Structure formats: structure tokens, C-alpha cells
Amino acid sequence: MGLQEFWFLIIAVLWIGYFTLEGFDFGVGMALPILGRGPDGERRKRVLLNTIGPVWDGNEVWLLTAGGATFAAFPEWYATLFSGFYLALFLILVALIIRALGFEYRGKRDSDAWRRGWDWCIAIGSYVPALLWGVAFTNIVRGVPIDQHHEYTGNLFTLLNPIALLGGLMTLTVFFLHGLNFISLKTTGQIRDDARAMATKVWVVAAVITVAFMLIINVQQGSIWSWLSFLIAVVACVGGFLAHLADREGWAFTGTFLAIAFVVASLFFALFPDVMPSSTNPDYSLTIYNASSSHLTLQIMTVVAVIFTPIVLLYQGFTYWMFRKRISVDNIPPAQDERDLATV
């Protein structure tokens, strides 16, 4: 394996980490207006937010690292992607910003209207990226119009094609399901029961959309490795659903975690060795070879990654371990006693 192949693999792993971890963050945000209803709604919402409160910002580091690694290892890919997908990525960035503001500011005032406004910011800031990430990755894998200068020649509506929108629906429903499984794993009482009941319905919808989308992708341009990853994802999904029916929340969450991981892996296997195929002319496609940095740059990056990656993984693993216990509305004090979102 050369350094170009190695860094393509690393970037794939970073995106897998982002989608599997930030995916349940998005799912919890999407579930907030639904599971947070009722006479005890405010305390239920604070339970939901506390399930991801210690980890949501750490999960976003995977996105920053994936973007930075792409910029350093494959600058041509980064330049074409971020210039061509500028508006779509801008919408994702705005959504992530208002979502982060919602986490930070909803508890700063003792006002129902104030909190409701920020709750919708969190929900919208979860729905929009969950949809648009699927749209973006579908277009990356299937190819977009790129000219001989490696410049994107389409527009936003070029990206919003039927197959890409199906990919967006896949990530939207799968992240929602992943979040419901995380809520079931992290809570007790009625909110856990409600999340489990909703997950049963969403599971079927998410599975049908995912299988339909992945069959289209793999039939069109799949390889033996992309097909194998897809089949593993199907097995993980079925196993997770059976665990869900058996009230084994930990294994159910593991099932959706692995399903997301292997779906993303399947997309990267289908993409390789391209990084942005050209639908205009295959000769204009960006590959890991014509889009990469110099050999020396990749060598330096490899040394840095080998040193610091284990440290980051250990730290994030420690965070999840420290905040592993379940919570319920009984753990949430009245809203007027809590003005800092650190305890939401």
C-alpha cells in the first residue's frame, strides 16, 4: 500500500468515525421536538440533551480532522469539492452553527419561548446536515460535472438529483434511528419506552431506503469490496433489529453503529481509486494519484498521525466511559434552578 492509498483509507476511517458518532447526535437532535412533548416536556428535553451533552462537540472533531486531512493529503480534491459544493457545504455549516448555539444558549434564560426557539434551532441544525451529507456523498461517489481543469461546472440543482436525494433520505432516517437507539441505551423510564417504540417503526423505513440506495450504487459502480461491506451492513442491521426486539439496547445500538460504518465503507470502496469522478469525461476525474500532495508531505502527515491518533482515541474513549450511566427525568432538577447549559 502506497501513501496515497493509506491516506485515502485514513480519510475513509475519519468519515466513518464522524457518521457513526455524530450520527446519533443528529438523531437525538431530530427526536428532541417529538420525544420532548408532554406535561413534563421540558425535563424530558433536558434528559435528551444530557445524553449527548458531554460528547457532541468532541464528535464534531472527526469532521474537522477529515476536512484537514483532505486538504493536506489531497489538495486538488479539497479545492474541487469545496468550490463546487460551496453552497451545500455552506448550508451544512450554518446548520451546525445554529445547532451549537442551541446547545449553548437554550438554558441561559428561564423562558419557555426562549427555550422553544433554541430547541427548533437544534432540531433544524440536526435535520439539515443529516440530509445534505447524504446528498453530498452520493454525488461524490456517482460523479459530478468536472472539466479538464478539475473545476466543477454544475450548480446546486445539479446536486439535487433523485439518486442523491435518496442518499440524503438514507442518512436522515438512519441517523434518526441511530439516535433513538442511543436514547434507549442512555435513558430509563417512559422516555426510554417512547424511544424504543419509535425506533421499531423507523427501523423498517430506514432499512428499506438504505437497501434500495445501496443496491443502486453497487449495481452501477460497485466492486467486490463495496458489495462485501454492504452485505456486512445488512447483517449488522438485522442483528441490531433482533437485539432491539429482545430489549438489548446496547447490541441494538452496536447494530446501527456497524451498519453505518460499513455503508460508508461501501461508498468509499465504490469510489476508489477516484476521489471525485467526472461525469463529463472520465479522463477529467480526480484520483488519489493526480489529486495528492507530494510524497514528503504524506510522509510527514503519516508520522504525525501515528503519534497523535492513539492519544485522541484514548481521550474520547475515556469521555464515553465516564458518562456511560443512564439518566431519567428524576435526575433533572427544575428548570429555574439551572441557568447553565452545562447541566441543561
Side-chain angles (χ1 to χ4, degrees):
M1 179 185 293
L3 288 177
Q4 287 99 338
E5 290 86 356
F6 174 77
W7 275 100
F8 181 85
L9 175 62
I10 292 296
I11 290 172
V13 170
L14 290 172
W15 280 108
I16 288 172
Y18 177 65
F19 282 146
T20 53
L21 297 177
E22 188 82 324
F24 70 75
D25 276 1
F26 289 145
V28 174
M30 288 187 276
L32 186 64
I34 304 171
L35 295 180
R37 292 180 296 188
D40 205 17
E42 174 56 23
R43 297 178 79 180
R44 286 169 65 98
K45 289 176 181 177
R46 292 166 69 194
V47 168
L48 293 172
L49 293 174
N50 270 288
T51 61
I52 59 174
V55 298
W56 70 268
D57 51 352
N59 292 341
E60 290 189 346
V61 172
W62 290 84
L63 172 62
L64 299 175
T65 308
T70 303
F71 172 77
F74 302 102
E76 287 275 356
W77 182 13
Y78 181 93
T80 302
L81 174 63
F82 278 76
S83 61
F85 290 31
Y86 178 82
L87 185 54
L89 295 175
F90 177 76
L91 291 174
I92 292 175
L93 179 61
V94 170
L96 292 176
I97 289 173
I98 66 170
R99 178 172 174 265
L101 290 174
F103 288 137
E104 296 293 339
Y105 282 95
R106 81 173 300 276
K108 297 300 184 183
R109 287 178 57 185
D110 185 18
S111 165
D112 289 339
W114 172 270
R115 286 190 287 263
R116 278 197 301 271
W118 288 117
D119 288 342
W120 279 109
C121 287
I122 294 171
I124 294 171
S126 300
Y127 276 103
V128 172
L131 175 69
L132 291 184
W133 279 130
V135 171
F137 262 82
T138 303
N139 282 289
I140 291 173
V141 174
R142 296 187 70 239
V144 291
I146 299 174
D147 64 18
Q148 65 270 30
H149 304 296
H150 294 165
E151 294 181 0
Y152 176 73
T153 58
N155 53 47
L156 177 62
F157 297 103
T158 305
L159 303 179
L160 300 178
N161 57 79
I163 303 301
L165 290 174
L166 181 63
L169 287 176
M170 178 193 72
T171 51
L172 183 73
T173 54
V174 169
F175 289 168
F176 188 30
L177 172 62
H178 199 34
L180 291 173
N181 284 337
F182 185 74
I183 294 168
S184 302
L185 177 64
K186 288 287 293 179
T187 62
T188 60
Q190 187 61 46
I191 195 169
R192 168 183 173 270
D193 296 337
D194 292 345
R196 283 181 43 77
M198 184 174 293
T200 303
K201 301 173 184 177
V202 175
W203 212 304
V204 177
V205 177
V208 171
I209 294 174
T210 301
V211 169
F213 171 76
M214 293 304 297
L215 284 175
I216 292 172
I217 293 296
N218 278 294
V219 166
Q220 289 182 345
Q221 57 198 101
S223 65
I224 184 172
W225 292 107
S226 65
W227 276 106
L228 179 60
S229 295
F230 169 52
L231 292 177
I232 295 174
V234 171
V235 172
C237 182
V238 173
F241 184 63
L242 294 176
H244 167 76
L245 295 178
D247 293 341
R248 301 294 298 273
E249 288 96 346
W251 286 110
F253 178 76
T254 301
T256 50
F257 185 100
L258 292 175
I260 293 172
F262 280 99
V263 163
V264 178
S266 180
L267 292 176
F268 272 95
F269 278 127
L271 178 63
F272 183 84
D274 292 333
V275 290
M276 282 196 76
S278 173
S279 59
T280 305
N281 186 329
D283 293 336
Y284 301 158
S285 297
L286 288 166
T287 70
I288 62 172
Y289 306 109
N290 65 17
S292 70
S293 294
S294 68
H295 186 74
L296 178 60
T297 300
L298 296 179
Q299 283 183 319
I300 295 172
M301 289 176 61
T302 303
V303 173
V304 173
V306 169
I307 295 173
F308 288 101
T309 300
I311 298 174
V312 174
L313 292 176
L314 286 173
Y315 171 77
Q316 192 163 27
F318 176 76
T319 302
Y320 276 93
W321 175 255
M322 289 297 296
F323 294 96
R324 66 189 182 279
K325 292 186 178 180
R326 295 176 183 261
I327 59 174
S328 70
V329 293
D330 296 332
N331 304 118
I332 304 298
Q336 62 266 25
D337 293 339
E338 296 292 338
R339 302 297 178 86
D340 191 330
L341 190 71
T343 54
V344 193

